[in-house]
Short mmCIF file of all heavy atoms in Angstrom, two decimals:
data_model
loop_
_atom_site.label_atom_id
_atom_site.label_comp_id
_atom_site.label_asym_id
_atom_site.label_seq_id
_atom_site.Cartn_x
_atom_site.Cartn_y
_atom_site.Cartn_z
N SER A 740 -1.97 8.65 -1.72
CA SER A 740 -2.74 8.66 -2.97
C SER A 740 -3.01 10.12 -3.30
O SER A 740 -3.60 10.84 -2.49
CB SER A 740 -4.06 7.90 -2.82
OG SER A 740 -3.85 6.52 -2.62
N ILE A 741 -2.60 10.55 -4.47
CA ILE A 741 -2.73 11.96 -4.86
C ILE A 741 -3.73 12.06 -6.00
O ILE A 741 -3.49 11.56 -7.11
CB ILE A 741 -1.37 12.53 -5.28
CG1 ILE A 741 -0.36 12.33 -4.14
CG2 ILE A 741 -1.49 14.01 -5.64
CD1 ILE A 741 1.07 12.61 -4.52
N VAL A 742 -4.88 12.66 -5.72
CA VAL A 742 -5.99 12.76 -6.67
C VAL A 742 -5.94 14.12 -7.35
O VAL A 742 -5.92 15.16 -6.68
CB VAL A 742 -7.33 12.56 -5.96
CG1 VAL A 742 -8.49 12.72 -6.93
CG2 VAL A 742 -7.38 11.18 -5.29
N VAL A 743 -5.93 14.11 -8.69
CA VAL A 743 -5.79 15.36 -9.46
C VAL A 743 -6.91 15.47 -10.48
O VAL A 743 -6.81 14.92 -11.58
CB VAL A 743 -4.43 15.42 -10.18
CG1 VAL A 743 -4.24 16.78 -10.85
CG2 VAL A 743 -3.28 15.14 -9.22
N PRO A 744 -8.02 16.17 -10.19
CA PRO A 744 -9.04 16.44 -11.21
C PRO A 744 -8.45 17.30 -12.31
O PRO A 744 -7.62 18.18 -12.05
CB PRO A 744 -10.12 17.20 -10.43
CG PRO A 744 -9.88 16.86 -8.99
CD PRO A 744 -8.40 16.69 -8.86
N SER A 745 -8.88 17.07 -13.56
CA SER A 745 -8.20 17.73 -14.67
C SER A 745 -9.14 18.46 -15.62
O SER A 745 -8.72 18.90 -16.68
CB SER A 745 -7.41 16.68 -15.48
OG SER A 745 -8.29 15.72 -16.03
N HIS A 746 -10.41 18.63 -15.28
CA HIS A 746 -11.33 19.28 -16.21
C HIS A 746 -10.92 20.73 -16.44
O HIS A 746 -10.76 21.51 -15.51
CB HIS A 746 -12.76 19.23 -15.67
CG HIS A 746 -13.75 19.94 -16.55
ND1 HIS A 746 -14.08 19.48 -17.79
CD2 HIS A 746 -14.47 21.08 -16.36
CE1 HIS A 746 -14.96 20.28 -18.34
NE2 HIS A 746 -15.21 21.27 -17.49
N GLY A 747 -10.75 21.10 -17.72
CA GLY A 747 -10.47 22.48 -18.07
C GLY A 747 -9.07 22.96 -17.80
O GLY A 747 -8.81 24.17 -17.86
N VAL A 748 -8.13 22.07 -17.50
CA VAL A 748 -6.76 22.51 -17.19
C VAL A 748 -5.73 21.74 -18.01
O VAL A 748 -4.58 21.62 -17.60
CB VAL A 748 -6.45 22.36 -15.68
CG1 VAL A 748 -7.30 23.29 -14.87
CG2 VAL A 748 -6.65 20.91 -15.22
N ALA A 749 -6.12 21.25 -19.18
CA ALA A 749 -5.20 20.42 -19.96
C ALA A 749 -3.91 21.16 -20.29
O ALA A 749 -2.84 20.57 -20.33
CB ALA A 749 -5.89 19.97 -21.25
N GLY A 750 -4.00 22.47 -20.50
CA GLY A 750 -2.81 23.23 -20.87
C GLY A 750 -1.76 23.30 -19.78
O GLY A 750 -0.58 23.50 -20.06
N ARG A 751 -2.17 23.17 -18.52
CA ARG A 751 -1.21 23.28 -17.41
C ARG A 751 -1.12 21.99 -16.58
O ARG A 751 -0.41 21.94 -15.60
CB ARG A 751 -1.59 24.45 -16.50
CG ARG A 751 -1.54 25.78 -17.22
CD ARG A 751 -1.75 26.96 -16.30
NE ARG A 751 -1.70 28.21 -17.04
CZ ARG A 751 -0.59 28.89 -17.32
NH1 ARG A 751 0.57 28.45 -16.91
NH2 ARG A 751 -0.63 30.00 -18.01
N LEU A 752 -1.87 20.97 -17.00
CA LEU A 752 -1.90 19.74 -16.23
C LEU A 752 -0.52 19.10 -16.10
O LEU A 752 -0.18 18.55 -15.05
CB LEU A 752 -2.88 18.76 -16.88
CG LEU A 752 -3.04 17.39 -16.23
CD1 LEU A 752 -3.52 17.53 -14.78
CD2 LEU A 752 -4.01 16.53 -17.03
N SER A 753 0.28 19.18 -17.16
CA SER A 753 1.60 18.54 -17.10
C SER A 753 2.45 19.13 -15.98
O SER A 753 3.27 18.42 -15.38
CB SER A 753 2.32 18.69 -18.44
OG SER A 753 2.49 20.04 -18.78
N GLN A 754 2.29 20.42 -15.69
CA GLN A 754 3.05 21.02 -14.60
C GLN A 754 2.66 20.41 -13.26
O GLN A 754 3.53 20.15 -12.42
CB GLN A 754 2.82 22.53 -14.58
CG GLN A 754 3.30 23.24 -15.84
CD GLN A 754 3.00 24.73 -15.83
OE1 GLN A 754 2.60 25.28 -14.82
NE2 GLN A 754 3.21 25.37 -16.96
N ALA A 755 1.36 20.18 -13.07
CA ALA A 755 0.91 19.56 -11.82
C ALA A 755 1.45 18.14 -11.70
O ALA A 755 1.97 17.73 -10.64
CB ALA A 755 -0.62 19.56 -11.76
N LEU A 756 1.34 17.36 -12.77
CA LEU A 756 1.80 15.97 -12.73
C LEU A 756 3.32 15.90 -12.54
O LEU A 756 3.82 15.06 -11.78
CB LEU A 756 1.38 15.25 -14.00
CG LEU A 756 -0.13 15.22 -14.30
CD1 LEU A 756 -0.41 14.42 -15.55
CD2 LEU A 756 -0.92 14.66 -13.12
N ASP A 757 4.04 16.77 -13.23
CA ASP A 757 5.49 16.79 -13.07
C ASP A 757 5.90 17.12 -11.64
O ASP A 757 6.87 16.58 -11.11
CB ASP A 757 6.12 17.81 -14.03
CG ASP A 757 6.11 17.35 -15.47
OD1 ASP A 757 5.96 16.13 -15.70
OD2 ASP A 757 6.23 18.20 -16.37
N SER A 758 5.15 18.02 -11.00
CA SER A 758 5.50 18.42 -9.64
C SER A 758 5.35 17.26 -8.66
O SER A 758 6.01 17.23 -7.63
CB SER A 758 4.62 19.59 -9.19
OG SER A 758 3.30 19.19 -8.88
N VAL A 759 4.49 16.31 -9.01
CA VAL A 759 4.33 15.11 -8.16
C VAL A 759 5.40 14.08 -8.49
O VAL A 759 6.08 13.54 -7.61
CB VAL A 759 2.93 14.51 -8.34
CG1 VAL A 759 2.79 13.22 -7.52
CG2 VAL A 759 1.85 15.51 -7.93
#
Side-chain angles (χ1 to χ4, degrees):
S740 293
I741 304 169
V742 177
V743 186
S745 63
H746 178 67
V748 294
R751 298 187 181 274
L752 179 59
S753 60
Q754 297 177 10
L756 302 183
D757 286 341
S758 75
V759 177

